[in-house]
Amino acid sequence: MSELEANTPALESEAAPEAAAPAQPPSTIIAPDEEGIARAVAALRAGELVAFPTETVYGLGADADNPEAVRKIFKLKGRPADHPVIVHLHDAGQLERYAAEIPPAARALAQRFWPGPLTLILRRRPEVPDVVTGGQDTVGLRVPSHPVARKLLEAFGGGIAAPSANKFGRVSPTTAQHVAADYGHHAPLILDGEAPAVGIESTIVDVTGETPRLLRPGAITAAQIEEVLGVAPAGPDADAPRAPGSLDKHYAPKAAVRLVKRTEMIELLASHRGRRVAVLALEINVPRLSPQLVRVMPAVASQYARELYANLRALDATGAELILVEQPPQTPAWAAVNDRLMRAARSGGDGT
Ligand code: TXA
Ligand code: MG
């Protein structure tokens, strides 16, 4: 067990009262063995929700062909109903069930990156429920690589609509315990599984237009997409459909988050002495701060991403009023991490 996993439950149990989740019914988190998968499939078929691990983050899933079931996702998450959700598929052979048109660029990206952390935005088939697409004429599709997600999708047979399993506006979950903590007694069935290898949400590419557009950066980089397509993806369109990922509060912990350079971090720690300030440091420990309030992150972007959300949750659970995040390098390899950190910081209430 990593130090992170060992520390997280202890820190969460010290959360401020309003942050503390009610005790879990022990049966909520289930092992992803044959029996667990069968139980999850039965729940999905009955129109119930199932949270499951993917290689990015945990998803909160429902039968994508059952609008009533998908509506339950929005209700449980507290997410506005016009936000589209991604449909997860077992393999690219199921694309035609949901997509009306599959341009060559989509085929090429699917071929290269699926199963994996890439979501393609495609023209939808008319049968796809409006609640899945947020009423848009496109649908987001992705074939995840996590073994538990794959087992579930294979046994279920159809598409599973799933946003990240966090409560709306909170940090995405990367453990079954995070999901349980967000929903307390209202927690759905949660399939356990190995920790997500990526740790942040999938790269989203819109392939419905002339030029591919990168709607959300992720582990699959713009350069990798360019390598496959021969053109660099454009940024999001000004009038592209709004993704909840572009709302300020989307990846936010309860504490204010501020992105700072190390020197500024040291200065702020001095000027905030006596207040509860936590630190997400890069590579080197921060002296003279209670160990409970410091997390030292890896200096490799992919490893940083894997640990980011669990650490933000753990620091948030200390009841810190401010989390200082040491700014990672501004290089393409860090684009997805910097994107998530900026979103977390933008929602901060520290007035700067
Ligand atoms: O890695 C992931 O993508 C995770 C795991 C569970 O697969 N899912 C995830 O879902 O991050 P969610 O709902 O938290 O974020 C999905 C993003 C949202 O920003 C949503 O607006 C966007 O995908 N999206 C979904 N369908 C879309 C569509 N038709 N057009 C534009 N954006 C879409
Ligand atoms: Mg999300």
Side-chain angles (χ1 to χ4, degrees):
M1 191 188 277
S2 74
E3 193 192 312
L4 172 63
E5 285 162 315
N7 285 342
T8 304
L11 291 176
E12 282 183 349
S13 67
E14 290 167 29
E18 24 78 71
Q24 294 312 301
S27 61
T28 303
I29 298 176
I30 57 172
D33 52 15
E34 215 174 302
E35 192 194 323
I37 295 287
R39 224 176 124 186
V41 167
L44 290 172
R45 295 217 170 109
E48 297 303 327
L49 304 184
V50 173
F52 61 98
T54 82
E55 72 279 19
T56 59
V57 299
Y58 270 70
L60 182 62
D63 177 354
D65 297 306
N66 179 345
E68 277 313 311
V70 177
R71 248 172 238 127
K72 289 182 185 170
I73 297 176
F74 291 86
K75 189 150 178 257
L76 187 64
K77 264 188 82 103
R79 180 180 186 171
D82 60 348
H83 288 184
V85 291
I86 295 169
V87 177
H88 297 69
L89 305 174
H90 180 261
D91 56 74
Q94 296 170 313
L95 270 174
E96 281 85 358
R97 271 177 75 165
Y98 297 92
E101 261 169 62
I102 303 156
R107 293 253 178 244
L109 291 172
Q111 167 89 24
R112 170 72 180 78
F113 297 114
W114 281 355
L118 174 73
T119 297
L120 295 175
I121 306 297
L122 292 157
R123 298 257 167 245
R124 69 186 265 199
R125 284 180 70 102
E127 304 83 24
V128 182
D130 279 338
V131 62
V132 169
T133 65
Q136 303 179 47
D137 62 354
T138 56
V139 61
L141 297 168
R142 147 166 145 79
V143 174
S145 62
H146 192 288
V148 174
R150 294 193 59 68
K151 270 204 268 179
L152 179 67
L153 284 159
E154 184 171 31
F156 181 60
I160 300 179
S164 51
N166 53 291
K167 274 234 155 155
F168 182 66
R170 313 304 318 170
V171 175
S172 292
T174 51
T175 67
Q177 288 72 23
H178 292 162
V179 182
D182 271 14
Y183 298 105
H185 281 299
H186 299 289
L189 211 56
I190 305 166
L191 277 171
D192 209 349
E194 66 187 51
V198 175
I200 56 172
E201 304 82 352
S202 61
T203 303
I204 303 181
V205 182
D206 181 339
V207 282
T208 59
E210 289 279 296
T211 4
R213 288 192 179 281
L214 185 67
L215 300 189
R216 180 172 71 184
I220 292 168
T221 63
Q224 284 177 291
I225 291 160
E226 180 176 359
E227 218 172 89
V228 171
L229 300 183
V231 304
D237 202 332
D239 39 55
R242 278 287 81 82
S246 58
L247 294 182
D248 281 350
K249 272 200 145 29
H250 197 54
Y251 301 97
K254 290 194 176 76
V257 173
R258 211 163 140 182
L259 267 172
V260 290
K261 296 208 164 63
R262 179 161 281 256
T263 47
E264 198 184 344
M265 174 183 282
I266 305 294
E267 283 163 24
L268 281 165
L269 282 170
S271 65
H272 283 62
R273 194 161 292 146
R275 290 166 66 184
R276 203 164 172 79
V277 179
V279 164
L280 196 66
L282 199 61
E283 223 175 347
I284 306 161
N285 207 356
V286 179
R288 289 189 296 279
L289 202 60
S290 144
Q292 193 207 3
L293 293 170
V294 189
R295 293 297 166 117
V296 180
M297 298 293 284
V300 175
S302 58
Q303 290 167 18
Y304 188 110
R306 197 178 303 152
E307 296 178 20
L308 174 60
Y309 289 146
N311 280 300
L312 280 179
R313 278 180 180 254
L315 290 180
D316 209 24
T318 64
E321 56 184 293
L322 176 63
I323 301 173
L324 297 175
V325 177
E326 185 174 359
Q327 172 75 68
Q330 301 287 330
T331 56
W334 288 88
V337 163
N338 282 326
D339 171 78
R340 304 310 190 274
L341 290 176
M342 262 159 48
R343 292 177 200 279
R346 235 181 272 146
S347 72
D350 66 339
T352 52

